[in-house]
Amino acid sequence: MATSHRDSLEHLFDRIRLARERSGMTKEDASAALGVSKVQIWRLENKSNTVSAERLFEIADLYGVDPRKLLHGEKAAEAPHKLYARIGEVVAMVEEEAQRLDVKPPPHLVGEAVVEILRQETRQQTTPDITPLDAMKYQGLVSLLFKQISDL
């Protein structure tokens, strides 16, 4: 069975309307808060082809939603959380490797290791992979970076 564009929320105007409804605001409330007519609210929610960035941020703030979620849908709001989780995994892996090597690397060296691993993990991707981090893949890199400490 085909899904209509209204069901899939593939249009910005659908996401704007849904955000208003979820916030509990009426069209009248929104028009008053944004300083526009009810007709303009109707246009934003039914046939808007373009919305200025400034207006999008005002709407997002008013309805209490992430502007990326309004612009790109549900998946857009998930990406930063995945990235933060992956950063946490990488930092933990680098710290574990430092303990295994029995070294106390300076913060800049830990940062270099984390950045390089994240760069390799996200190469050719716009969002981090959801597969578990393969620590073995990066042990050599981390060991090489941390070897600099013992050479000093």
Side-chain angles (χ1 to χ4, degrees):
M1 184 164 122
T3 304
S4 74
H5 75 276
R6 288 236 178 255
D7 294 335
S8 66
L9 297 178
E10 68 185 39
H11 294 287
L12 176 59
F13 58 80
D14 288 320
R15 292 188 295 272
I16 290 172
R17 176 190 42 76
L18 184 62
R20 179 186 54 77
E21 290 170 352
R22 285 182 176 169
S23 76
M25 295 189 86
T26 65
K27 288 179 186 167
E28 292 78 15
D29 296 334
S31 70
L34 294 170
V36 299
S37 70
K38 287 187 280 185
V39 171
Q40 287 175 302
I41 297 296
W42 182 89
R43 285 184 183 143
L44 283 171
E45 295 182 0
N46 290 285
K47 63 178 192 173
S48 177
N49 291 331
T50 60
V51 176
S52 72
E54 182 180 359
R55 179 65 72 195
L56 184 70
F57 277 88
E58 289 172 351
I59 292 168
D61 185 50
L62 180 63
Y63 299 158
V65 298
D66 184 330
R68 293 172 298 198
K69 188 174 176 181
L70 276 182
L71 192 57
H72 300 291
E74 296 289 330
K75 297 285 183 203
E78 295 173 9
H81 301 295
K82 290 179 184 177
L83 178 61
Y84 300 149
R86 182 52 53 118
I87 291 169
E89 286 181 278
V90 171
V91 169
M93 187 273 296
V94 169
E95 288 174 346
E96 287 172 11
E97 188 63 13
Q99 287 178 352
R100 188 183 72 75
L101 295 170
D102 196 29
V103 295
K104 295 195 185 310
H108 78 277
L109 215 49
V110 172
E112 283 180 38
V114 170
V115 167
E116 182 55 33
I117 292 168
L118 287 170
R119 186 176 294 132
Q120 291 183 27
E121 282 286 297
T122 59
R123 191 168 283 147
Q124 305 291 325
Q125 297 176 345
T126 56
T127 59
D129 195 356
I130 57 171
T131 59
L133 180 68
D134 181 4
M136 298 292 289
K137 182 176 172 181
Y138 300 107
Q139 278 183 334
L141 170 72
V142 175
S143 295
L144 184 64
L145 281 171
F146 290 170
K147 185 179 181 313
Q148 295 174 23
I149 296 169
S150 61
D151 291 343
L152 297 177

